[in-house]
Amino acid sequence: MSNLQEKVKKIFSDEKLDLLIGFEKGTLPLRAAPSFVRKSEDLDKLIFDITCQNNLAKHLLNEIKRNPDQKIGIIAKGCDARAIIHLISEKQLERKKIIIIGVPCCGVISPFKLKNVLNGREVTDCTINNETVICKGKDYEKEISRTDILSGYCLSCQYPNAPEYDYFIGEQTKPAPPEKQFEKVDELEKMTPDERWEYFKKEYSKCIRCNACRNACPMCFCDECFIDRNKPRWVGKGNDISDIMIYHIMRAIHLAGRCTSCGACSRACPMGIDIEALNKRVTKEIKERFGFTAGLDCEKNPALADYKTDDNDEFIM
Amino acid sequence: MSKYKLKKNNIENFLNELREEYSVFAPIESDGTVAFQKLDDVKLPDISLKRTDRPPKEIFFPHTEVILSFDDKNAESGEYRGKPIAVFGLKSCDSKSLHILDNVFLDSSYTDTYWYKRRSNSLIFTIGCNNPLPSCFCNWFKCGPFDSTHSDVAVTDIEDSFILEPVSEQGTEYLAKSKYLEKAEEKDIKKAEALKEKAESDMPQPPDLKKLKEILDNNQNDKLWEELAAKCLGCGVCAFSCPTCYCFDIQDDSRRNKGKRVRIWDTCQEPLFTKEGSGHNPRPSQKGRTLQRFMHKLSYMIETQNNFGCVGCGRCVTLCPVNIDIRDFIKKVLQVKGDK
């Protein structure tokens, strides 16, 4: 039994948890799957490593919606914990019903990046090392640097450890250098508006409207999303570039001051669209204008749900 | 039937010749995603002919398709009026998927004119999979890496050349008149046969699916469904990457006195899919939606067309963001003892 499994077992019984949400080994090499454990003996299947790409806060929210009376423990990377904390600040979750178990995160794999690094070849066996991942397939073996396959969000992550937790298993990890946080946005800001338009047009024209980005996002919890409104319909569901852009821009704006930069959206995207650029741009704006970073403090009001009499209103004409 | 050989350095000529008569689609990689795209003077296929990330159904059933344009005086059908379509480089699972969709769109009681106009007289070149991917499981569903049943021409990649074997009458006719083919020699045919045998034996043995439908039909309350639904995000990745999912929605887009009616891929995983005009939703939970998708593929389609609705292409297996793996699910179902 690993250290993680052993410690979680103790927490499970000490806290009398009804459910533990974590990760288990997936059916494919280098893929984990969300795991829902209701019996202590099943905790042996828990894992945590760079394959744990999902944001479990989404599943936590769904479980609470299904049955609000459960006491749930959750394995949390920095971003899972931030999403939970932010959802608590938005009164979507109750702090006392959730046991946050922090785990040290060194970033998670982007399946799209991995697929492209391997040029479409699939993995049958793998070894995860400190700096590299060795992938083996039917007729190849390739050692890949972790940084080549980690999610872009992870490479710029400022909060790899849960900012608030009930337990923490392992040693806390170091965040990326601060200048990395908005590196992608900074690059795009250097472009001319025409170049930026071309860039976004190229990226979003790949969209197949599968809504994986929205459905993977813990902050997208509306009972009725604006894109599902059809009386009247606000936005088309097809591949018209205007409809696609409206969807992505509206989603980014709905996430203002709420996005915790987990990157679950971009890792869920089957087309490898750069969703990060737009969402990070909004995050940067909120940070600069309001000095607010989502998901750090359960007690603090979200930026767009707060009011200050001494707000300098500098961007209001 | 005679077999032909197409040298790889002649592939461009061969496809250009094909383009004279057909609108030709083949796998092309752009920006990290492989999809069937229409060839033109600059677009050439990715000759490694990988499994596409996007399913081939979009050639005949586009993601967003104008089915009607109208103004205050006239209306015009958006049905396809171009050249017949040829597809080069479909895998056997994918050509089977077209057959399954034919059964849907062209069944005895109804002909979907939009599908029909693109699909009729199409010429399908199916390429054998020399190296089936670990996520491939076509052999679970009475298909195999070199199955060419639902094609016009069977193609085998023997390194320096392709071996082409006509399957249908249309395929025979076309190959007989191409300028760029030569007769395949015995040693090339042997080589192709060896590749076929190797690929077939390389694939893991499939489980026995004879009882699958019966177990599924009798166990819709099993906890397996709850487990599946707990993981599922309810997105459309599986349905939109699936070569046989065919559900669509229809929307009207109009401005002032002009407009168009479009049909757009839809998925049973979205709550809106079943939401009625009154606001009532008869399938309100993710469990119901997940159940619908799997039951449709693995049970209902056996009733409607005597085929599983899954062709084992493996796209949903690799793309699902939460690693829902239909193979794993089927194996678990087969172990259900039955509680009625």
Side-chain angles (χ1 to χ4, degrees):
Chain A
M1 202 165 37
S2 73
N3 185 34
L4 174 81
Q5 291 161 353
E6 206 173 312
K7 296 221 159 111
V8 174
K9 256 189 188 172
K10 185 163 182 330
I11 298 166
F12 193 87
S13 69
D14 288 354
E15 297 283 353
K16 299 190 176 59
L17 296 179
D18 297 306
L19 170 67
L20 188 283
I21 305 178
F23 290 99
E24 63 190 50
K25 208 168 170 319
T27 62
L28 305 170
L30 295 176
R31 287 297 285 277
S35 186
F36 302 82
V37 184
R38 292 183 190 275
K39 282 185 251 152
S40 177
E41 59 266 33
D42 293 341
L43 291 167
D44 291 345
K45 62 182 177 186
L46 287 186
I47 60 156
F48 183 75
D49 56 27
I50 62 167
T51 66
C52 301
Q53 63 162 28
N54 311 102
N55 190 325
L56 296 179
K58 181 77 185 192
H59 295 282
L60 174 66
L61 202 56
N62 289 344
E63 283 298 328
I64 297 270
K65 273 188 189 171
R66 252 193 284 269
N67 176 5
D69 297 325
Q70 332 179 56
K71 187 170 181 189
I72 305 179
I74 181 165
I75 303 289
K77 306 185 281 290
C79 53
D80 302 60
R82 284 181 64 204
I84 297 165
I85 292 166
H86 189 82
L87 289 167
I88 292 168
S89 78
E90 289 193 1
K91 315 283 185 271
Q92 297 301 315
L93 295 172
E94 272 181 82
R95 179 68 185 92
K96 66 174 192 296
K97 284 187 183 165
I98 302 154
I99 298 298
I100 303 174
I101 305 166
V103 283
C105 179
C106 305
V108 293
I109 292 176
S110 149
F112 193 82
K113 275 193 182 176
L114 177 67
K115 183 189 83 176
N116 282 318
V117 166
L118 294 174
N119 195 21
R121 290 172 300 188
E122 288 185 356
V123 186
T124 49
D125 198 11
C126 64
T127 317
I128 301 170
N129 299 323
N130 283 339
E131 300 291 324
T132 64
V133 175
I134 299 169
C135 295
K136 286 181 201 149
K138 275 187 177 166
D139 46 10
Y140 75 94
E141 182 172 326
K142 190 177 163 95
E143 185 164 12
I144 305 166
S145 161
R146 276 190 184 214
T147 50
D148 290 340
I149 50 171
L150 287 186
S151 168
Y153 280 92
C154 303
L155 296 170
S156 56
C157 177
Q158 300 299 301
Y159 303 94
N161 309 298
E164 192 178 321
Y165 51 82
D166 300 289
Y167 300 90
F168 198 94
I169 301 174
E171 298 265 316
Q172 301 228 342
T173 45
K174 275 198 202 130
E179 66 274 15
K180 284 264 177 198
Q181 186 178 7
F182 296 117
E183 204 176 35
K184 186 139 220 168
V185 181
D186 298 339
E187 271 170 37
L188 277 154
E189 283 177 352
K190 282 184 206 137
M191 291 181 181
T192 66
D194 285 345
E195 286 168 342
R196 262 200 305 273
W197 174 245
E198 285 307 316
Y199 178 75
F200 282 117
K201 216 161 66 178
K202 173 179 85 63
E203 286 300 312
Y204 290 126
S205 62
K206 294 185 255 181
C207 181
I208 56 169
R209 310 299 303 273
C210 68
N211 297 335
C213 48
R214 178 194 68 176
N215 291 22
C217 176
M219 295 308 148
C220 279
F221 56 73
C222 292
D223 285 335
E224 189 180 46
C225 176
F226 73 97
I227 58 167
D228 292 335
R229 268 283 171 96
N230 57 0
K231 290 188 293 185
R233 181 157 55 81
W234 290 12
V235 53
K237 291 159 81 174
N239 62 11
D240 182 291
I241 190 74
S242 317
D243 287 329
I244 297 176
M245 291 255 190
I246 288 172
Y247 163 62
H248 286 281
I249 293 170
M250 288 279 276
R251 207 179 82 84
I253 290 173
H254 279 185
L255 289 173
R258 309 175 62 237
C259 176
T260 57
S261 300
C262 67
C265 53
S266 67
R267 293 188 293 277
C269 177
M271 296 292 123
I273 297 170
D274 178 6
I275 304 174
E276 185 181 351
L278 198 56
N279 288 352
K280 278 269 182 81
R281 178 66 186 80
V282 178
T283 303
K284 186 181 173 193
E285 190 78 16
I286 294 287
K287 190 175 179 184
E288 285 174 355
R289 300 289 185 190
F290 303 99
F292 182 81
T293 300
L296 298 182
D297 185 349
C298 299
E299 303 298 323
K300 209 167 170 184
N301 274 341
L304 299 189
D306 209 2
Y307 180 78
K308 285 194 186 109
T309 47
D310 60 347
D311 195 324
N312 60 14
D313 292 347
E314 59 182 349
F315 55 93
I316 294 175
M317 307 284 252
Chain B
M1 240 184 278
S2 53
K3 295 186 184 180
Y4 301 89
K5 177 161 144 175
L6 170 63
K7 290 214 176 91
K8 282 201 178 164
N9 55 16
N10 254 336
I11 182 79
E12 210 178 315
N13 290 329
F14 178 80
L15 292 171
N16 282 338
E17 180 188 52
L18 190 61
R19 273 177 50 212
E20 287 169 17
E21 212 175 312
Y22 292 91
S23 188
V24 183
F25 287 76
I28 293 182
E29 181 158 7
S30 51
D31 231 351
T33 295
V34 190
F36 285 97
Q37 294 186 37
K38 192 175 159 185
L39 302 185
D40 55 30
D41 291 336
V42 285
K43 267 189 197 159
L44 287 173
D46 175 355
I47 208 66
S48 63
L49 301 171
K50 289 183 207 159
R51 176 178 74 199
T52 56
D53 299 294
R54 296 175 64 135
K57 68 182 176 191
E58 65 180 347
I59 303 170
F60 301 100
F61 169 45
H63 177 284
T64 305
E65 179 177 25
V66 177
I67 55 175
L68 188 71
S69 313
F70 52 86
D71 58 25
D72 47 4
K73 291 185 188 67
N74 300 301
E76 197 186 351
S77 163
E79 63 193 41
Y80 181 71
R81 291 189 183 85
K83 285 182 188 175
I85 291 172
V87 190
F88 189 85
L90 276 167
K91 306 285 184 189
S92 53
C93 51
D94 282 344
S95 42
K96 185 180 171 190
S97 77
L98 296 180
H99 167 73
I100 289 177
L101 292 179
D102 283 343
N103 289 341
V104 172
F105 288 120
L106 310 173
D107 81 356
S108 52
S109 59
Y110 179 75
T111 297
D112 181 277
T113 178
Y114 306 98
W115 173 270
Y116 175 75
K117 291 281 161 118
R118 284 194 171 83
R119 182 76 167 111
S120 57
N121 299 319
S122 63
L123 194 63
I124 304 297
F125 292 79
T126 301
I127 180 136
C129 285
N130 291 352
N131 295 300
L133 293 167
S135 62
C136 291
F137 59 114
C138 62
N139 62 344
W140 289 32
F141 305 106
K142 295 179 189 155
C143 187
F146 277 73
D147 191 325
S148 56
T149 317
H150 304 292
S151 349
D152 297 295
V153 177
V155 185
T156 309
D157 181 344
I158 58 161
E159 266 177 80
D160 56 337
S161 328
F162 291 111
I163 299 299
L164 277 68
E165 182 185 3
V167 179
S168 71
E169 220 170 279
Q170 203 189 340
T172 312
E173 260 172 49
Y174 185 81
L175 294 190
K177 66 187 179 192
S178 169
K179 284 185 293 211
Y180 299 101
L181 300 177
E182 48 197 89
K183 203 171 174 319
E185 293 164 46
E186 200 51 39
K187 68 170 185 353
D188 299 325
I189 295 171
K190 284 245 164 68
K191 207 170 171 184
E193 276 164 7
L195 284 165
K196 174 177 184 255
E197 266 169 44
K198 185 181 174 295
E200 282 169 354
S201 62
D202 267 3
M203 289 188 84
Q205 275 297 310
D208 183 355
L209 302 184
K210 270 201 258 11
K211 291 216 171 88
L212 181 64
K213 177 174 162 44
E214 191 192 327
I215 301 176
L216 283 168
D217 290 350
N218 292 324
N219 292 283
Q220 295 188 19
N221 293 317
D222 196 88
K223 67 176 192 329
L224 267 180
W225 294 111
E226 300 280 353
E227 285 168 13
L228 200 62
K231 259 199 218 177
C232 182
L233 293 173
C235 69
V237 168
C238 49
F240 289 3
S241 65
C242 178
T244 67
C245 270
Y246 53 80
C247 288
F248 56 82
D249 191 11
I250 291 181
Q251 286 184 346
D252 282 349
D253 275 329
S254 50
R255 246 167 239 129
R256 296 213 177 89
N257 59 349
K258 263 181 160 173
K260 56 191 179 180
R261 176 163 293 175
V262 286
R263 74 169 175 190
I264 303 163
W265 290 358
D266 203 353
T267 162
C268 53
Q269 299 308 293
E270 284 283 346
L272 191 62
F273 185 80
T274 42
K275 195 170 169 187
E276 295 166 2
S278 65
H280 170 67
N281 195 339
R283 202 183 282 151
S285 70
Q286 189 55 48
K287 185 187 159 194
R289 296 190 281 272
T290 313
L291 187 132
Q292 165 62 22
R293 184 162 192 281
F294 282 85
M295 288 301 284
H296 192 190
K297 297 245 170 272
L298 304 174
S299 169
Y300 309 151
M301 282 181 80
I302 293 180
E303 287 162 31
T304 54
Q305 55 166 289
N306 202 23
N307 271 317
F308 280 110
C310 176
V311 292
C313 73
R315 289 185 179 90
C316 62
V317 172
T318 57
L319 290 174
C320 174
V322 287
N323 184 237
I324 288 178
D325 185 330
I326 188 169
R327 301 170 301 176
D328 185 56
F329 176 72
I330 291 174
K331 283 182 189 159
K332 283 182 180 152
V333 170
L334 290 171
Q335 281 162 16
V336 170
K337 294 279 179 274
D339 53 17
K340 292 247 163 159

